[in-house]
Amino acid sequence: MAELERPTIQLADASGPQPLSDESNYKFLQQIFDAKEQDPLAKAGYDVDAVFQILEGKKGYSAYGAYGSDLAQQPDTNLNKVERNFLYKSDYEDLDRLNPKMSKANKGVVMMEPFNTEQGVLTLIHEFRHKAIDDNPVLQKIVDDSPFSEELLVRTMDVKYFDDERSKEFIKKRYPKLTEYGQNLLLETVDKLEEASVPKKEEKEEPSFFSKMKEKLGFNKGGIADINYLTRRL
């Protein structure tokens, strides 16, 4: 039996308290949440307001989704492009109407495949990783300093977290001569990206014995004046 076509809905609407957040989307919203909680890079890029779902399926696009850092002047991504160089004119009109915040920012994730499908969940998480790298200069530098393309690194994470066959085929086809050293370096770079994407917690320094005693004695209130005050009582 063929899979039922999922209704078109914006991720921000489905994720909020609106009536559109109904039971038909809960399964996929939970999958997205669980996936990004396990995936540090995707979690860093996660933002439901930075996602636009085109309204009429893939419409001939050759990708399931794409992250655009400049939606008005996107370089060639092998997508069918008219007008603003990335989407069909009607899609830009829908973007301006349904997600003006993303349109004004001129960047975000565009979903050609509905997010509320199995493929849509994987695609969305994949594109959130691209967004995280673009948002963070530290992550971008790790990518730039490595010998690997950003797409290869993100596809490697598709395999890591989804065991995705399409990404396995992509890596095998594009990098057939990747040595064992290269494979290890690739995985090390993925680890670097993930570690750098996790916000560092502020660590409060434990007070020393002497600082605790100074606090008890009142020395932290005013230096020598407090000492003189204390000595007058001795």
Side-chain angles (χ1 to χ4, degrees):
M1 181 175 179
E3 182 181 357
L4 291 175
E5 184 178 345
R6 303 298 304 162
T8 299
I9 182 174
Q10 298 301 316
L11 179 63
D13 291 334
S15 302
Q18 299 91 342
L20 292 173
S21 179
D22 59 32
E23 292 183 10
S24 67
N25 295 302
Y26 288 163
K27 170 187 173 182
F28 299 101
L29 291 171
Q30 189 63 50
Q31 286 182 15
I32 292 167
F33 180 82
D34 291 344
K36 65 101 172 171
E37 287 300 309
Q38 297 174 22
D39 186 329
L41 202 60
K43 186 174 183 177
Y46 182 81
D47 180 359
V48 297
D49 292 320
V51 178
F52 173 64
Q53 178 75 62
I54 66 171
L55 299 186
E56 299 176 24
K58 289 180 66 174
K59 293 167 67 171
Y61 288 106
S62 60
Y64 291 111
Y67 172 73
S69 59
D70 184 350
L71 294 177
Q73 297 183 15
Q74 184 69 17
D76 184 15
T77 55
N78 197 32
L79 298 175
N80 295 320
K81 304 181 298 299
V82 296
E83 293 297 320
R84 283 147 78 176
N85 288 338
F86 189 64
L87 301 171
Y88 288 108
K89 181 179 179 180
S90 61
D91 291 327
Y92 277 112
E93 292 171 352
D94 292 335
L95 172 63
D96 294 341
R97 177 171 55 90
L98 296 172
N99 196 340
K101 180 179 177 182
M102 178 172 155
S103 179
K104 185 176 180 180
N106 194 35
K107 63 180 183 178
V109 175
V110 178
M111 293 291 294
M112 289 76 173
E113 173 80 11
F115 76 86
N116 48 2
T117 62
E118 298 296 334
Q119 180 61 51
V121 172
L122 188 154
T123 300
L124 184 62
I125 293 297
H126 176 103
E127 300 306 335
F128 275 144
R129 297 191 202 109
H130 284 299
K131 177 181 177 297
I133 293 169
D134 184 60
D135 286 345
N136 189 331
V138 173
L139 299 177
Q140 188 64 65
K141 188 174 188 309
I142 292 173
V143 174
D144 293 343
D145 289 347
S146 80
F148 307 112
S149 69
E150 181 176 321
E151 186 63 22
L152 173 60
L153 293 164
V154 172
R155 293 267 190 169
T156 300
M157 295 180 203
D158 287 340
V159 176
K160 177 178 180 179
Y161 292 105
F162 291 91
D163 196 28
D164 181 49
E165 293 298 327
R166 291 177 67 248
S167 291
K168 288 179 185 178
E169 191 60 31
F170 172 90
I171 295 170
K172 185 178 178 181
K173 185 176 180 179
R174 295 287 186 91
Y175 301 89
K177 297 181 179 179
L178 197 60
T179 64
E180 184 175 354
Y181 170 79
Q183 293 171 18
N184 291 336
L185 185 59
L186 175 61
L187 296 178
E188 286 175 13
T189 306
V190 166
D191 287 344
K192 274 187 185 179
L193 280 171
E194 294 188 335
E195 289 173 9
S197 68
V198 178
K200 299 292 185 292
K201 293 182 180 178
E202 291 186 10
E203 296 183 1
K204 292 186 177 181
E205 186 177 345
E206 280 293 320
S208 67
F209 168 77
F210 291 108
S211 64
K212 288 179 181 178
M213 289 303 298
K214 286 180 181 179
E215 185 177 355
K216 285 184 178 181
L217 292 170
F219 289 1
N220 60 337
K221 295 181 180 179
I224 194 68
D226 286 326
I227 295 174
N228 289 336
Y229 171 76
L230 288 170
T231 56
R232 286 201 300 270
R233 300 178 62 184
L234 296 177

